Amino acid sequence: MSEQTNEGISKNKLKLLVEGKLPLDDIHALLRMPVKDADRFWKYLEVLQERVTWKEKILVRISEHLYVVEKGQERIVKCDCGHEFGDYRINWKLSSLVYARTSTEEFDEIFTTQNKPNPEIVEVREFYCPTCLAQLGVEAVPAGYPFLFEVLPDIDTLYEWEGKPLKSANKDWFQNKTATLTAKWAKEAGK
Amino acid sequence: MGSKQTTLRKSLKGENIGLKARIDHADQQYKDTGHIFGLKYLEVLEEDPIKFDKFQTRLIAAVSAARETSKHVSGSPAGVGMGELLHLLALPEGEVVASSFGLTGHVMSFPLIVRHMAETGLEENPGFRDGDIWGTNDPLAGGPHQSDCYTYVPIFYDGELIAWAAGVNHIADTGHSICPGGVPAHSPTTYCDGFTYGPMKIGEDLIEYKWFERMWMRRTRTGTLNVLDEKMRLTGAIMLRGRVMELVNEFGLEYFKRATREILERERRAIERRVRTQMVPGEFRQSLFRPIRQKGMMGHLYREADKDWIVHMNETITIEPSSFINIDCDGSTTQDYFWANGHRGGILLGMGWHTMAVLVQSPLVNTSLLRMLDVKGPPGSIINPTRTDVSTCAPNVVGTMLSLLPNHVFGWSYFMRGFLEESYLCEYVYSVIGSGGVLKNGIPWGMTDFGYVGSSPRGPSPWRDGEAAMVGSGNPEADFGEAEEWEFVEPPLTSLSRKLIPDMCSHGKHRGSIGTSAAHLISDPGQFLTMNTMGISGTDMLGCSVGVCGGYPMLNGYVLYLHDTNAFELLEQGETLPTDFVEAWRMIDSGKLKVGSMEVYGNESPVTQLKHGDLVFQGLQASSAWGEPLDREFDLIKSDIERGWMTPETARKVYGAVVEVAANGACKVDADASAKARLELRNRRKTRAVPAKEFWARERAKVVAKDFSHVDVANMYQDTLRYEKWHREFYEFWQLSEDYKI
Ligand SMILES: [Zn+2]
């Protein structure tokens, strides 16, 4: 019944869980915990921070490879390889490399049975990190569809929920600023 | 009227207000305090927690006993084999306090039915009396779709309405005018929707009116089964009513009233706590698309429905600082003459039964989730239909599809917060086969095959692959693959297989579940036979727009009808028939399987005529993947090949894994060759991709020129951009001026 204490998971076990190496029995024990460990988020940040080579403080993980980190006065999206995508309030996809599959031949490379999408009505966009070329996101959308801004975390509320508000907390942090970049691009193009 | 008024006052004695006022009052209490029924303190719980839990357990036992006993009253395979049945106990206001397992999502829609009754004055005419039996299946009154029929009785104690006891199940056939079965893929107007009734009084003194039985026999294809199902629902409701009376006698009326309300508030707090301590708040953008093709099919009969659509289901999911989950569907397609109108009962049902598996995770199924989550859409859109002539046959399907996206978000959010053990992609991707016809002896029949409803894949986690045929989050008590039982009531459909289809999966670091196959041989169908299918996974456009963390999104479903085949000749020659569509294609290509003509569809196939010797193959349930495919561990790839779930060709092509398979089946990964292959795949990305800014400029030019690859895509934008938020997002992203019109 040791898993019923509030101590929860050790940092070492959490590291194994993050790496996908924690035995299933241990994971089931975690699932059975009636009360989760209260410091999980902080342990998680420690584990994540130790996995990257750069020094900026991770505020929150937003996907397998991407983190929102604190850099000076800024909060930016950073890849585990070190690539920086800029202000996290602007959809990071706008700073990635994009490849859109638009033909049956291109679909054949990734859809491996007959039930493939129809390239007349849908394209499959892949978003890569410009530095490490990891596939960070995939969209299956019709032509002309705006990039979906998958995650805009409300970081200040998160830290408030954790009982340790950030010093830099400010209402302005939780807003979507993607349009500022597209407006800039349109202006540059002389629209 | 005078005597009815008297009955009403008497029935709600102690409160001395009507049902409508009670509901308004409860809403106001929640609004003012943030607590259900304004319960800031859980007094009876705190006073004696053990007594409280005992009381709650007794309620759960009562609803479970009602379900488990009554299902044997029915002879319908839906009720007995699949357990497509739920019994629930609700407060007078409609809030569900306890429910059995089974179709758990109904705890979200039953409150709407009670509200509808209150709003339409049914408490005055005909009024609610002890011993009354009520029923409905109308989505305009809160039901999820015509197939889900509710039978419920008011529970009076000492003359006061204290609760409702209800049973609901999915019936085999609704009498839909176009599609036999109960989940039609094509329904041009609500006047094709089949037998639609209530909410109305269908009996008194706990005996159903004779005429109602006749209605089932007269208006549906499976009258006998539907009458038996009606008796099943009622039996459970009456049992439950009896148990509740006993409980009130034992615990006292005041305790019953207070404790049932505290149960709801306690469960609401549990959800709130879970969100607050295990998820990351913020805004998540998701969407999905579903083509619907009716052009050329509705022809002269339903000209208004003779169209094709790409249906857009658009969602902005916000986990708010209060822990409330707000799902804004602005930008979704406009209501129309198709199945995709999402009336509220169906939307909340879909949201409820799947979300419950991710967010509530408790045997204590109740309505509290309804106070922690809402789905909104502009009036006139498919999320909020306003017209009364559009079809109401599949709001449950709309709701289930919509629910995929918040469930992705919840899985993702657990991962962001560090609770990886809780994180998975919950995708309930059912499909149903509707079939019907006339047997050799002239007997007409119709049926819904639930074989694909009772089981669903479990999507992947950040730490493991998706797995096929694992759960039925919509019906946790179901058993997968009741093939033998279904054959009994679908005489011409011989089941050939239930199996996994190698290579049919969404690829990623943790791949989605392997797709499953159902194959049927048509044998001696009598005078005529038709089949239609309807399902949740993608059709031609994948199941959702966003793949998670670099994995590919859910695959399309697939239905293949092969007409005029040599199947029986092959059987006579001792040959085996294909067991999935991949094998079928291989046998067609090799010339062994001869086919006169064929039809290929995604999830929904229109009513298709079938003859002796025709073959039908379905493939679906390949869930979304998690993470980047090139991060997949070689050991996992090897194990997939060893199990026959993946071919070495796919491993090489998608994952850059070079795996040698020995004659005895043993697999070995060539580490050096694999490292090289992965590097090549990575480098290929570099040569093909362009900076987003360049992509944006190129695509923007096309948007400005209204060059949208297909007229259905242009029509989708033209329709949906009328909605304000989506309009703003689209115009800002592409930097369009307001005089731009599609
Ligand atoms: Zn990178």
Side-chain angles (χ1 to χ4, degrees):
Chain A
M1 298 299 276
S2 62
E3 69 266 21
Q4 298 223 356
T5 68
N6 210 1
E7 287 155 24
I9 180 174
S10 70
K11 195 176 145 190
N12 190 41
K13 276 193 177 177
L14 183 59
K15 187 165 171 278
L16 291 173
L17 180 61
V18 168
E19 289 165 354
K21 289 177 184 145
L22 191 66
L24 208 53
D25 280 352
D26 284 336
I27 297 177
H28 285 162
L30 293 178
L31 282 166
R32 285 195 300 268
M33 286 164 73
V35 181
K36 300 278 188 190
D37 31 340
D39 62 345
R40 175 74 67 91
F41 180 63
W42 307 112
K43 276 187 297 207
Y44 189 47
L45 289 186
E46 279 176 35
V47 168
L48 297 175
Q49 197 80 51
E50 285 165 17
R51 281 160 54 89
V52 296
T53 52
W54 32 264
K55 290 283 166 280
E56 287 81 10
K57 194 175 107 184
I58 295 174
L59 294 175
V60 63
R61 184 184 202 180
I62 56 170
S63 86
E64 280 281 329
H65 287 279
L66 297 180
Y67 305 84
V68 177
V69 304
E70 204 165 42
K71 186 171 186 176
Q73 302 299 306
E74 290 177 287
R75 296 178 184 178
I76 62 165
V77 173
K78 194 160 175 140
C79 183
D80 47 19
C81 76
H83 187 91
E84 294 182 351
F85 287 80
D87 192 335
Y88 87 103
R89 294 168 295 181
I90 295 171
N91 191 349
W92 59 265
K93 288 175 179 171
L94 290 174
S95 308
S96 69
L97 294 179
V98 190
Y99 166 54
R101 297 176 186 269
T102 57
S103 67
T104 307
E105 294 71 39
E106 290 166 293
F107 287 169
D108 283 349
E109 293 175 355
I110 46 168
F111 302 116
T112 40
T113 41
Q114 280 86 353
N115 52 326
K116 297 179 212 307
N118 174 359
E120 284 181 22
I121 51 176
V122 67
E123 62 187 34
V124 176
R125 298 172 181 163
E126 296 171 358
F127 299 90
Y128 309 131
C129 171
T131 300
C132 69
L133 294 164
Q135 182 163 297
L136 303 173
V138 176
E139 287 182 358
V141 292
Y145 204 68
F147 294 173
L148 283 158
F149 195 175
E150 296 167 1
V151 189
L152 175 68
D154 182 352
I155 296 171
D156 288 334
T157 296
L158 169 63
Y159 278 74
E160 230 167 78
W161 283 2
E162 284 290 348
K164 294 184 189 171
L166 288 166
K167 284 200 186 70
S168 58
N170 189 315
K171 273 205 316 291
D172 290 343
W173 284 123
F174 184 49
Q175 56 175 301
N176 180 350
K177 291 198 149 191
T178 302
T180 58
L181 184 57
T182 52
K184 188 171 150 244
W185 286 354
K187 208 169 165 193
E188 281 171 20
K191 183 212 141 215
Chain B
M1 280 305 282
S3 65
K4 273 166 190 150
Q5 285 295 330
T6 313
T7 314
L8 166 71
R9 291 232 171 76
K10 198 178 160 216
S11 71
L12 295 166
K13 158 182 113 166
E15 311 284 337
N16 201 25
I17 46 171
L19 187 55
K20 175 83 172 64
R22 284 177 75 143
I23 291 170
D24 290 346
H25 183 57
D27 283 347
Q28 194 61 43
Q29 283 174 316
Y30 179 71
K31 211 174 148 207
D32 291 346
T33 65
H35 302 289
I36 298 180
F37 294 107
L39 292 175
K40 203 168 169 189
Y41 303 103
L42 303 181
E43 284 163 12
V44 299
L45 166 66
E46 275 152 31
E47 200 180 285
D48 189 345
I50 291 174
K51 182 180 174 188
F52 189 86
D53 276 354
K54 197 171 136 193
F55 174 76
Q56 185 169 15
T57 309
R58 294 277 294 278
L59 291 180
I60 294 166
V63 287
S64 302
R67 176 184 191 270
E68 298 311 317
T69 309
S70 68
K71 73 181 180 191
H72 298 293
V73 169
S74 173
S76 84
V80 183
M82 275 287 304
E84 282 275 309
L85 165 68
L86 177 100
H87 278 95
L88 59 84
L89 176 70
L91 297 179
E93 295 86 351
E95 308 260 350
V96 178
V97 178
S99 104
S100 67
F101 287 150
L103 297 166
T104 50
H106 287 280
V107 302
M108 301 286 271
S109 34
F110 187 72
L112 302 182
I113 293 172
V114 175
R115 279 162 189 260
H116 181 88
M117 292 198 299
E119 279 156 16
T120 51
L122 297 181
E123 57 178 320
E124 283 138 26
N125 177 1
F128 309 130
R129 288 184 193 76
D130 199 4
D132 282 357
I133 304 168
W134 284 72
T136 187
N137 71 344
D138 187 0
L140 286 189
H145 62 156
Q146 270 79 2
S147 298
D148 286 338
C149 300
Y150 288 79
T151 302
Y152 49 103
V153 300
I155 304 178
F156 286 86
Y157 189 87
D158 193 19
E160 178 185 352
L161 176 66
I162 58 164
W164 302 94
V168 54
N169 83 305
H170 186 130
I171 62 171
D173 178 79
T174 56
H176 191 274
S177 71
I178 295 177
C179 303
V183 192
H186 295 94
S187 196
T189 95
T190 196
Y191 308 110
C192 296
D193 279 344
F195 180 39
T196 308
Y197 64 96
M200 62 193 200
K201 196 167 140 181
I202 56 173
E204 57 191 35
D205 299 328
L206 300 182
I207 295 170
E208 274 167 342
Y209 298 133
K210 202 69 191 161
W211 58 260
F212 194 55
E213 197 173 306
R214 187 175 182 281
M215 290 298 293
W216 284 119
M217 297 304 291
R218 182 74 186 87
R219 297 312 307 163
T220 64
R221 295 174 181 86
T222 52
T224 309
L225 293 182
N226 291 348
V227 168
L228 286 168
D229 278 0
E230 179 67 59
K231 293 185 188 309
M232 163 181 74
R233 296 189 295 271
L234 177 62
T235 303
I238 293 175
M239 275 183 69
L240 178 54
R241 172 180 174 273
R243 288 286 172 95
V244 167
M245 305 286 243
E246 286 168 22
L247 280 172
V248 176
N249 284 336
E250 186 181 331
F251 286 82
L253 183 59
E254 279 318 303
Y255 190 89
F256 177 87
K257 284 187 189 174
R258 180 77 196 189
T260 47
R261 283 156 179 79
E262 289 192 10
I263 284 172
L264 287 166
E265 173 59 13
R266 175 165 84 160
E267 305 307 334
R268 189 201 65 76
R269 290 180 193 185
I271 299 171
E272 183 181 330
R273 192 162 51 240
R274 193 174 177 95
V275 171
R276 208 180 163 88
T277 57
Q278 296 176 32
M279 290 188 177
V280 169
E283 194 179 284
F284 301 79
R285 277 290 284 118
Q286 296 272 327
S287 72
L288 64 83
F289 296 92
R290 179 73 171 260
I292 296 180
R293 301 201 176 93
Q294 290 184 176
K295 201 163 181 57
M297 196 184 296
M298 297 299 170
H300 291 277
L301 293 177
Y302 299 100
R303 282 187 186 279
E304 68 278 22
D306 198 40
K307 264 175 81 176
D308 290 339
W309 295 262
I310 289 176
V311 171
H312 184 210
M313 299 189 191
N314 201 32
E315 294 184 49
T316 303
I317 298 145
T318 310
I319 301 178
E320 297 180 347
S322 64
S323 306
F324 190 83
I325 294 149
N326 189 20
I327 301 167
D328 185 345
C329 300
D330 184 289
S332 299
T333 294
T334 301
Q335 60 188 336
D336 217 328
Y337 296 107
F338 49 28
W339 59 259
N341 302 298
H343 297 80
R344 195 159 171 78
I347 288 198
L348 290 179
L349 167 105
M351 242 1 123
W353 64 12
H354 313 304
T355 302
M356 225 163 271
V358 186
L359 204 55
V360 183
Q361 297 185 346
S362 149
L364 316 173
V365 180
N366 57 64
T367 301
S368 54
L369 182 62
L370 205 51
R371 298 292 191 182
M372 288 307 298
L373 171 150
D374 201 10
V375 187
K376 290 201 186 81
S381 69
I382 55 168
I383 311 302
N384 190 356
T386 48
R387 278 179 10 201
T388 50
D389 62 335
V390 297
S391 176
T392 61
C393 70
N396 62 317
V397 177
V398 177
T400 303
M401 291 173 73
L402 285 174
S403 79
L404 292 172
L405 307 179
N407 284 338
H408 279 197
V409 165
F410 301 148
W412 203 326
S413 189
Y414 284 132
F415 162 80
M416 290 165 67
R417 190 80 176 259
F419 293 93
L420 275 63
E421 73 272 28
E422 301 289 343
S423 173
Y424 80 108
L425 303 180
C426 173
E427 294 179 347
Y428 184 42
V429 279
Y430 61 77
S431 175
V432 288
I433 303 172
S435 53
V438 176
L439 301 177
K440 212 181 268 176
N441 58 8
I443 293 179
W445 65 284
M447 186 50 62
T448 309
D449 184 326
F450 291 77
Y452 257 138
V453 179
S455 166
S456 182
R458 184 199 17 74
S461 297
W463 44 274
R464 75 168 156 191
D465 289 341
E467 204 165 341
M470 280 296 288
V471 292
S473 55
N475 182 354
E477 288 292 86
D479 301 316
F480 178 64
E482 301 288 341
E484 299 82 3
E485 202 159 320
W486 291 112
E487 279 176 52
F488 180 69
V489 287
E490 299 169 320
L493 306 185
T494 308
S495 180
L496 291 181
S497 83
R498 278 292 156 91
K499 60 170 295 226
L500 305 186
I501 305 176
D503 281 345
M504 183 180 167
C505 72
S506 289
H507 299 293
K509 178 181 179 183
H510 293 289
R511 56 155 176 75
S513 57
I514 309 286
T516 49
S517 163
H520 289 99
L521 169 66
I522 309 306
S523 168
D524 203 4
Q527 297 184 23
F528 82 91
L529 166 68
T530 69
M531 194 190 263
N532 63 92
T533 66
M534 177 67 163
I536 300 298
S537 43
T539 293
D540 289 354
M541 299 182 81
L542 299 179
C544 50
S545 300
V546 175
V548 177
C549 295
Y552 290 100
M554 185 207 294
L555 285 189
N556 295 324
Y558 195 75
V559 184
L560 178 64
Y561 292 102
L562 302 178
H563 303 292
D564 302 312
T565 75
N566 61 340
F568 280 104
E569 284 165 42
L570 288 172
L571 286 178
E572 274 164 29
Q573 291 159 16
E575 300 281 352
T576 48
L577 294 177
T579 58
D580 63 42
F581 66 83
V582 178
E583 286 180 15
W585 275 110
R586 211 176 289 140
M587 280 180 74
I588 293 168
D589 289 343
S590 75
K592 197 172 213 173
L593 180 63
K594 305 236 182 323
V595 173
S597 65
M598 65 170 71
E599 296 174 66
V600 181
Y601 300 100
N603 272 285
E604 61 216 55
S605 60
V607 175
T608 304
Q609 300 282 335
L610 295 169
K611 297 191 297 293
H612 185 67
D614 286 0
L615 289 162
V616 186
F617 298 95
Q618 268 185 298
L620 73 158
Q621 299 194 328
S623 69
S624 296
W626 184 293
E628 128 92 303
L630 297 187
D631 286 345
R632 184 162 177 78
E633 285 187 12
F634 289 123
D635 275 354
L636 294 174
I637 297 169
K638 181 172 155 255
S639 145
D640 276 350
I641 295 174
E642 282 168 349
R643 290 173 175 190
W645 293 350
M646 192 171 285
T647 59
E649 296 74 44
T650 291
R652 173 73 179 79
K653 186 166 75 170
V654 179
Y655 294 100
V658 182
V659 182
E660 291 148 19
V661 185
N664 66 359
C667 293
K668 195 170 158 278
V669 179
D670 183 334
D672 290 344
S674 298
K676 210 171 139 230
R678 281 206 167 164
L679 190 65
E680 276 165 19
L681 287 175
R682 237 175 244 279
N683 286 337
R684 188 175 73 183
R685 290 176 176 173
K686 195 170 202 166
T687 58
R688 284 170 162 185
V690 297
K693 188 178 177 183
E694 203 176 298
F695 183 85
W696 178 86
R698 192 178 79 201
E699 294 303 305
R700 180 178 180 275
K702 288 192 207 161
V703 170
V704 169
K706 295 164 203 172
D707 170 12
F708 287 113
S709 84
H710 194 278
V711 63
D712 293 349
V713 175
N715 288 343
M716 181 274 292
Y717 286 128
Q718 188 183 47
D719 166 39
T720 59
L721 288 173
R722 75 181 75 179
Y723 299 108
E724 195 189 331
K725 278 189 203 154
W726 167 236
H727 177 99
R728 200 185 321 127
E729 184 179 341
F730 187 89
Y731 276 59
E732 282 185 357
F733 186 84
W734 296 119
Q735 292 292 310
L736 303 165
S737 68
E738 274 308 314
D739 49 23
Y740 173 82
K741 291 275 177 316
I742 294 169

